[in-house]
Amino acid sequence: MKPAVKARSFAIAFLELVEKLGKPEKMVNDLRQFYTVYSKDKYLKSLLLSRRIPIDSKKEVMTNSFGSSLHPAVIEFIGLLSIEKSVKLLAKIVRIVDKEYKIRNNIVDVDILTSRELDDDVLDEIKEFIKQKDGRTAVINTDIDKSIIGGIKLRIGNTIVDGSVANKLNQLKNTLLSSSN
């Protein structure tokens, strides 16, 4: 089986499991948390990739290391990946789980770029606007970039809306240059 197909199969199986267990948000977050640690810890990678260490010992180390911060089903899932020699697919699996979870739960990532920090009231208005227009729940990430001068740039899923002053000035410049020719 191709790695991408195998990763997708594992991701979908994980999502179906966490939905049956009734705590999908927590377990998806636990999987993300585990992957963050895994991607930075060479000893954890070595442990999970080792063919010499029995799976029960691997699970015991993970349980002792993560304690109650990871749901036992996530530890079992990681153990399954180790048994199936599929731990190297974890990055792809986490990306697919994240994407599919958001699709299934009607969630959209919204990146906001402004020249200054936005008040919580403004962020709440943006979330509410997206909910009304798009029907999805917005997860907002903000960033500040003084070069846009003012206004706002939004990325809602794959759609980009550029309402920045810098963009408006650039459009005006292009219009003036094209009309002078």
Side-chain angles (χ1 to χ4, degrees):
M1 186 181 302
K2 291 183 179 183
V5 173
K6 196 171 187 181
R8 181 157 185 75
S9 296
F10 278 120
I12 298 303
F14 177 79
L15 281 171
E16 289 173 3
L17 170 70
V18 301
E19 286 171 357
K20 283 181 185 170
L21 293 174
K23 296 183 178 179
E25 184 176 4
K26 182 195 178 341
M27 288 192 247
V28 168
N29 286 334
D30 285 357
L31 184 62
R32 283 186 205 122
Q33 175 189 351
F34 177 82
Y35 176 69
T36 300
V37 173
Y38 169 82
S39 65
K40 295 176 183 173
D41 189 329
K42 65 181 178 181
Y43 299 110
L44 182 57
K45 278 184 186 177
S46 296
L47 170 78
L48 292 175
L49 293 172
S50 173
R51 293 178 185 203
R52 293 182 177 172
I53 301 171
I55 189 62
D56 290 337
S57 298
K58 293 176 183 182
K59 288 180 188 176
E60 183 180 339
V61 168
M62 287 189 295
T63 301
N64 292 337
S65 299
F66 290 97
S68 62
S69 67
L70 284 185
H71 193 281
V74 174
I75 292 173
E76 287 296 323
F77 179 71
I78 301 302
L80 174 66
L81 293 179
S82 184
I83 290 169
E84 295 292 324
K85 297 172 182 44
S86 299
V87 175
K88 289 182 179 179
L89 298 175
L90 194 55
K92 286 181 184 173
I93 292 169
V94 170
R95 272 195 307 277
I96 294 167
V97 164
D98 193 48
K99 182 180 178 183
E100 286 295 321
Y101 175 78
K102 288 175 179 172
I103 290 169
R104 291 178 183 201
N105 291 282
N106 227 11
I107 297 170
V108 64
D109 287 320
V110 177
D111 296 323
I112 299 175
L113 186 65
T114 58
S115 62
R116 63 179 180 81
E117 193 170 331
L118 297 176
D119 297 335
D120 289 340
D121 293 340
V122 173
L123 295 175
D124 289 341
E125 285 180 37
I126 292 170
K127 283 182 184 179
E128 187 58 35
F129 177 79
I130 291 169
K131 183 74 171 173
Q132 288 175 358
K133 293 293 182 187
D134 193 42
R136 295 188 281 180
T137 302
V139 174
I140 294 185
N141 305 304
T142 60
D143 202 7
I144 296 172
D145 181 358
K146 303 260 187 223
S147 72
I148 68 169
I149 304 169
I152 190 169
K153 280 186 180 181
L154 294 172
R155 186 183 62 77
I156 305 167
N158 292 328
T159 304
I160 296 174
V161 178
D162 190 346
S164 66
V165 173
N167 182 51
K168 299 294 182 198
L169 290 172
N170 196 31
Q171 288 176 350
L172 179 61
K173 177 182 115 179
N174 290 337
T175 301
L176 290 172
L177 288 174
S178 66
S179 66
S180 66
N181 290 334

